[in-house]
Amino acid sequence: MSDSIRRAIAALRTGRPVRIDGDRPIAVLPVETGTRETLELLDPEAKAALLLSGERAAALALANMRDAADPARPVVVEREPWLDAAAALALADPGRDMDRGPIGPLHPISTDCAEAARAALALARTAGLLPALWLLDPAAASTAVSIADIDRPPTVELVARAKLPLDDLPDTQIVAFRASDDGQEHVALVIGAFGGEPALVRLHSECLTGDVFGSLKCDCGPQLKEALRLIGDAGGGVLLYLRQEGRGIGLANKLRAYALQDRGLDTVEANRRLGFADDERDYAHAAAILRALGITKVRLLTNNPAKVAGLEAAGIAVAERVPHHMPANPHNADYLATKRNKSGHLP
């Protein structure tokens, strides 16, 4: 993992500023973790503008300032006397949208640092934070990372490998990989033997609530168990357990999305109100892990065409899509319908 990326993520998570180096350098401070005292110290004249993602800007009725086809497009809001740290957090956190009156007026302004702003929002998402940042003078930050480092395609490093006996499955090895861009540790379960045919592969995104606690709000836990059974019955294959909680938005943001769903939004609407796309995952890590295991062609166990497209775009051939359906329950029926109707999952 790049030292500069590691330091930048740590700084953002602990509420410290980061400089984004490029043609138009900027410094940013997260609205979520930056304190009022830190903001006042770094911006004593209260001139820092507020940087939001395009999706969050749309939720705040600033959609005319964004390209609807590009949720990563940055929107910069002019600083007003009332826009302090507390007000900015109220704007950034959609959990407060339904419990407060309108905040504003908000005045989007043009920016000459769009690329650095886009990279800064991507870095905030990687850090698991709300995509809302204060824009500061570049001199305000001692921690720096370049746009090129943020945009560099990830690689993975094999860090550990061991046998892992699993109930009712052939001999299995567990292999840990560390990603170069965000330092996340992903796991491959290499099950049995898959000979000369394309391996049966499942890409499973981590779901603490479903996989560990058995939540009925999703179908993740049953999907995981059934995928292991199907791979075992096939004689072997690979299950990748990817650290992409909440479709890539992180655990805390997924729980924020759950709270919004409790207020009547569906899963896509909740993610967009948070300031994210409905699915923030990409499959470059998965493709890199498969290549490291010597796999270049797979039979993919999924109902999600985006996984097929993502793997193929990253250089892994998908010889066959193998359907992977779970029965609905009263708690997840609407969630599964939304995945089919809005996210393109196959019935």
Side-chain angles (χ1 to χ4, degrees):
M1 181 181 181
S2 162
D3 286 343
S4 64
I5 293 283
R6 183 186 294 112
R7 288 193 297 269
I9 289 173
L12 293 181
R13 286 174 174 167
T14 53
R16 293 179 285 124
V18 170
R19 189 176 73 246
I20 311 296
D21 285 335
D23 291 341
R24 298 278 186 173
I26 58 173
V28 294
L29 180 72
V31 167
E32 183 174 355
T33 56
T35 65
R36 174 180 60 83
E37 292 80 8
T38 301
L39 179 62
E40 290 175 353
L41 178 65
L42 298 174
D43 182 40
E45 297 183 9
K47 292 183 177 179
L50 183 62
L51 172 63
L52 300 171
S53 73
E55 289 290 359
R56 185 57 184 155
L60 294 169
L62 302 174
N64 61 319
M65 296 300 296
R66 62 182 281 271
D67 177 352
D70 184 3
R73 185 179 187 274
V75 174
V76 178
V77 176
E78 186 176 21
R79 186 68 173 271
E80 301 286 353
W82 58 267
L83 188 53
D84 58 12
L89 185 57
L91 283 174
D93 186 350
R96 309 183 184 198
D97 285 357
M98 301 173 191
D99 299 318
R100 60 164 173 78
I103 293 180
L106 300 172
H107 300 292
I109 56 177
S110 61
T111 177
D112 61 357
C113 58
E115 276 303 294
R118 177 199 56 77
L121 289 169
L123 190 66
R125 293 185 181 98
T126 300
L129 301 176
L130 291 169
L133 303 161
W134 293 108
L135 281 177
L136 304 171
D137 186 280
S142 57
T143 300
V145 62
S146 70
I147 295 174
D149 278 345
I150 295 171
D151 290 345
R152 185 168 289 117
T155 60
V156 295
E157 174 190 7
L158 193 159
V159 294
R161 186 170 191 149
K163 294 179 180 179
L164 187 71
L166 295 176
D167 193 28
D168 290 330
L169 287 179
D171 290 346
T172 299
Q173 294 185 58
I174 184 167
V175 191
F177 293 86
R178 184 174 295 123
S180 63
D181 54 343
D182 57 11
Q184 292 276 27
E185 292 173 349
H186 306 280
V187 162
L189 291 181
V190 182
I191 301 166
F194 32 92
E197 291 190 6
L200 181 60
V201 170
R202 168 70 182 166
L203 309 184
H204 188 88
S205 297
E206 176 184 40
C207 178
L208 176 70
T209 51
D211 298 341
V212 177
F213 300 129
S215 167
L216 299 177
K217 286 177 69 72
C218 63
D219 57 345
C220 300
Q223 278 189 334
L224 176 60
K225 292 176 183 177
E226 180 66 2
L228 290 172
R229 186 190 70 78
L230 290 171
I231 292 172
D233 288 351
V238 177
L239 184 138
L240 301 190
Y241 197 80
L242 303 168
R243 304 295 297 278
Q244 298 181 143
E245 183 81 52
R247 296 187 185 179
I249 68 175
L251 178 60
N253 287 323
K254 182 177 89 166
L255 299 185
R256 288 183 171 118
Y258 277 3
L260 292 172
Q261 291 169 40
D262 291 342
R263 306 293 289 269
L265 276 64
D266 66 34
T267 183
V268 169
E269 293 166 343
N271 274 26
R272 290 178 177 170
R273 184 168 283 272
L274 279 163
F276 298 97
D278 63 323
D279 192 337
E280 288 282 347
R281 293 173 295 183
D282 71 52
Y283 298 99
H285 292 135
I289 292 169
L290 290 172
R291 280 192 292 272
L293 294 173
I295 297 170
T296 58
K297 181 182 289 188
V298 301
R299 298 168 57 232
L300 191 62
L301 191 58
T302 186
N303 300 322
N304 185 356
K307 288 185 178 180
V308 176
L311 271 191
E312 290 188 329
I316 300 296
V318 178
E320 179 186 1
R321 184 192 69 83
V322 181
H324 192 45
H325 295 291
M326 297 295 108
N329 68 61
H331 301 278
N332 70 13
D334 288 344
Y335 164 77
L336 296 179
T338 298
K339 288 205 296 184
R340 291 192 300 271
N341 297 333
K342 290 190 175 182
S343 300
H345 286 220
L346 299 171

